Amino acid sequence: MSPSATDPIVNWDALTPVLIILGAGVLGVLVEAFIARPARLAVQATLSLLAILASGVSLFLRWGEVKAAGAAVEATYQGAQDFLPGARMSAGLTEDPFSIAAQGVLLLIGLLAVLVMADRTAVGDGAFAAQAADRPGSAEESESLLAGWTTTEIFPLTLFSLGGMMLFGASSDLITLFVILEMISLPLYVLAATARHRRLLSQEAALKYFVLGAFASAFLLMGSALLYGVAGAVDYKALGEAVRTVQGQDRLILTGVMLVIVGLLFKVAAVPFHAWSPDVYQGAPTPVTGFMAAGVKAAAFLALVRFYYVIAGAMGWDLAPALWAVVALTMLVGTVVGVVQRDVKRMLAYSAIAHAGFMLIGILAYSKAAISALSFYALTYGIATVGAFGIITLVRSNRGGSVGGEDGDLEAFKGLGRRSPWAAGAMTVFLLSFAGVPLTAGFMAKFRLFATGLSGNGVPFVILAVVCSAVTAFFYMRLIVLMFFHEPDGERSVVVASNGPIILAVSVAVMATIGLGILPQAAFDLFDRTAMLLP
């Protein structure tokens, strides 16, 4: 070994929650190779759910250790923020209360998403193709459908992506940030192409997501290269010091920081980097859409928090004009274009864009209170989003008495309250939470986030956000009115029964949405603690 070589530092205990998820993903690949096809769905779903639960237990144990270590260091240095950077998991990854909270939020989203994916409904078809490799409309596809097959590779792919999401908020250097970005994205490109119905639309969505995702990755890489050229390092701490101390390279640093932010803004579907979002949301299998809308947005925002607060925040006034434009346009485009949508999935896609604009207020606020508010917002929005797409999975077209694919048109939801009261009731809870109606988690999340914006000199954006929230409430309420105050549109659509998993996922999401809206203080206290050790 060369005298200058050093052994890698890997904190295996800190990596255990993620290793459980990734290890289960590897086992899922082996299940595809060695388990008979009829048994794969049950084995893969059980393996995925057990892995997420085991990872959650491991994460809870890690939280106890990190909290105790942080309290000891804080007491030693009398709360000096500079002495609380967190411990290293490995090169480029930091374990601190913020990363623990980020992993917990994503595990809960992942648990609900896997439950929705595992449901094949009472008619036995589910949302995924029999074999993703079958050509749409071919004889091979007909044979696969007749045999009752389903694409179970979705479970290990979901676990691989979830593992990357859990590490995204812990990334503390630019190389790790890029690698984990691809680790999240590559499985999702495949998952987006596996819809059972409207296969060509699904494949088109996957291709758009792949091409635009690669374009965004190029921005992030170019920005990383520029920052490395200035600082001679990729570590966030070294980059933060360079941003504050290097003279004569302000334009280069500003360009590099902005390009990295653009790469992350693509993942949260902020305007003008949002073009992929409506098409991919509509074309991907609905359970995958829910996983993307909740998980990717939460993971990207939590990664953006660390990058902005450690590095970019020092250049806040230089970045301000561009970020102000992005925040305002994101809220306006998501709101205005969402009003005219007739497809529920596209409507929720533009709703997600508007919510991204609201969450960006927390980035601009640049305070520990904003970090806590953003984490809570990511949790509440993610739970309601997975639940809402779970309901959409069950609303199907009626083809002369036989059940067809999902019917996402608003007209298909007419009279849903009479055909399936529980589905309509649950959907109403999620829509009210999106709208920010009191006694829902969405109201508490918006109230807390907007309050941090007011304290951070973001008054114009908070005013705009309140106006946009009122407008978005129109298209949420329109859907509620269609469900409860209109007669069903003949025999156009049917609501298929869940065979269990979707009912469980939606029930948990409803209880969490109402519970966090009525009694949010415990969650507030927890997220306040997780913000204290962020560098």
Side-chain angles (χ1 to χ4, degrees):
M1 179 181 293
S2 169
S4 62
T6 58
D7 292 333
I9 299 174
V10 180
N11 185 345
W12 295 108
D13 289 343
L15 285 170
T16 298
V18 178
L19 291 177
I20 291 173
I21 297 296
L22 297 180
V26 173
L27 288 178
V29 174
L30 296 178
V31 166
E32 290 297 313
F34 296 107
I35 300 297
R37 189 183 293 272
R40 286 180 195 168
L41 178 62
V43 173
Q44 292 280 31
T46 302
L47 174 63
S48 300
L49 293 171
L50 290 178
I52 293 173
L53 293 174
S55 179
V57 172
S58 175
L59 190 68
F60 178 78
L61 297 176
R62 290 305 306 167
W63 166 246
E65 294 188 24
V66 170
K67 184 171 64 172
V73 175
E74 186 177 18
T76 302
Y77 293 101
Q78 298 180 348
Q81 183 72 12
D82 291 341
F83 291 95
L84 299 172
R88 293 180 69 186
M89 293 187 195
S90 65
L93 294 171
T94 298
E95 182 188 46
D96 55 22
F98 177 75
S99 66
I100 295 289
Q103 292 180 60
V105 168
L106 291 162
L107 277 175
L108 181 55
I109 291 172
L111 178 66
L112 298 178
V114 168
L115 283 171
V116 175
M117 291 179 185
D119 201 315
R120 293 199 65 193
T121 73
V123 296
D125 57 356
F128 298 95
Q131 287 194 111
D134 287 340
R135 182 168 54 84
S138 65
E140 292 81 4
E141 183 181 45
S142 299
E143 292 175 2
S144 300
L145 291 172
L146 187 61
W149 294 350
T150 190
T151 302
T152 50
E153 296 93 327
I154 59 168
F155 292 101
L157 288 171
T158 299
L159 291 177
F160 288 138
S161 185
L162 177 60
M165 292 177 188
M166 292 172 65
L167 292 174
F168 213 29
S171 302
S172 57
D173 76 36
L174 295 175
I175 294 176
T176 305
L177 184 72
F178 173 74
V179 171
I180 294 176
L181 175 66
E182 296 306 304
M183 183 177 173
I184 294 170
S185 301
L186 292 175
L188 289 174
Y189 299 150
V190 179
L191 287 171
T194 58
R196 185 182 190 92
H197 304 280
R198 297 193 291 182
R199 296 284 311 285
L200 291 177
L201 186 64
S202 176
Q203 292 171 6
E204 178 188 354
L207 184 60
K208 286 181 178 178
Y209 195 22
F210 170 72
V211 172
L212 293 177
F215 192 60
S217 298
F219 278 103
L220 192 146
L221 275 178
M222 187 62 193
S224 301
L226 293 177
L227 291 175
Y228 177 76
V230 172
V234 294
D235 180 75
Y236 280 10
K237 185 177 181 181
L239 290 171
E241 293 173 356
V243 167
R244 293 169 177 83
T245 60
V246 171
Q247 301 295 323
Q249 300 289 336
D250 292 351
R251 290 186 179 180
L252 196 61
I253 293 173
L254 180 62
T255 303
V257 167
M258 197 63 218
L259 287 174
V260 173
I261 291 176
V262 165
L264 295 174
L265 289 177
F266 170 85
K267 287 300 177 185
V268 303
V271 177
F273 318 108
H274 69 293
W276 63 274
S277 176
D279 292 338
V280 175
Y281 277 37
Q282 184 180 21
T286 301
V288 173
T289 303
F291 180 57
M292 286 193 301
V296 174
K297 188 176 294 293
F301 260 110
L302 295 170
L304 182 59
V305 164
R306 189 180 291 275
F307 179 81
Y308 189 86
Y309 276 65
V310 178
I311 300 173
M315 307 185 72
W317 285 110
D318 297 311
L319 293 168
L323 291 181
W324 290 346
V326 168
V327 173
L329 286 173
T330 301
M331 288 189 285
L332 288 172
V333 170
T335 301
V336 174
V337 183
V339 169
V340 300
Q341 298 303 311
R342 300 296 303 173
D343 184 273
V344 176
K345 291 172 73 173
R346 292 185 72 88
M347 183 190 78
L348 292 181
Y350 282 102
S351 166
I353 292 170
H355 281 282
F358 303 154
M359 296 174 76
L360 285 171
I361 293 175
I363 299 294
L364 296 180
Y366 199 58
S367 66
K368 288 199 292 182
I371 297 173
S372 173
L374 266 173
S375 300
F376 184 74
Y377 202 112
L379 174 65
T380 58
Y381 174 78
I383 290 172
T385 298
V386 176
F389 281 105
I391 297 297
I392 293 171
T393 302
L394 302 178
V395 180
R396 305 290 190 83
S397 61
N398 185 359
R399 297 179 177 176
S402 63
V403 177
E406 294 159 12
D407 192 342
D409 192 273
L410 285 174
E411 297 297 316
F413 285 77
K414 278 187 174 180
L416 185 65
R418 300 185 182 184
R419 289 179 288 161
S420 180
W422 82 269
M427 192 68 171
T428 299
V429 171
F430 302 138
L431 293 172
L432 293 177
S433 184
F434 292 148
V437 173
L439 299 183
T440 64
F443 170 77
M444 299 308 303
K446 284 186 177 181
F447 179 83
R448 216 166 135 80
L449 188 65
F450 294 170
T452 65
L454 291 174
S455 62
N457 299 318
V459 175
F461 300 106
V462 173
I463 294 174
L464 179 60
V466 171
V467 172
C468 289
S469 293
V471 176
T472 57
F474 164 76
F475 53 77
Y476 300 136
M477 296 304 173
R478 177 178 59 186
L479 183 54
I480 294 173
V481 169
L482 285 173
M483 290 191 296
F484 288 101
F485 299 102
H486 284 75
E487 294 290 337
D489 188 8
E491 299 298 326
R492 168 177 178 155
S493 62
V494 295
V495 181
V496 298
S498 163
N499 62 3
I502 286 181
I503 292 177
L504 178 58
V506 170
S507 299
V508 171
V510 167
M511 289 187 291
T513 299
I514 296 174
L516 290 173
I518 298 174
L519 300 171
Q521 193 57 50
F524 288 166
D525 293 341
L526 176 62
F527 286 121
D528 286 343
R529 292 292 304 273
T530 64
M532 63 185 296
L533 299 187
L534 188 63

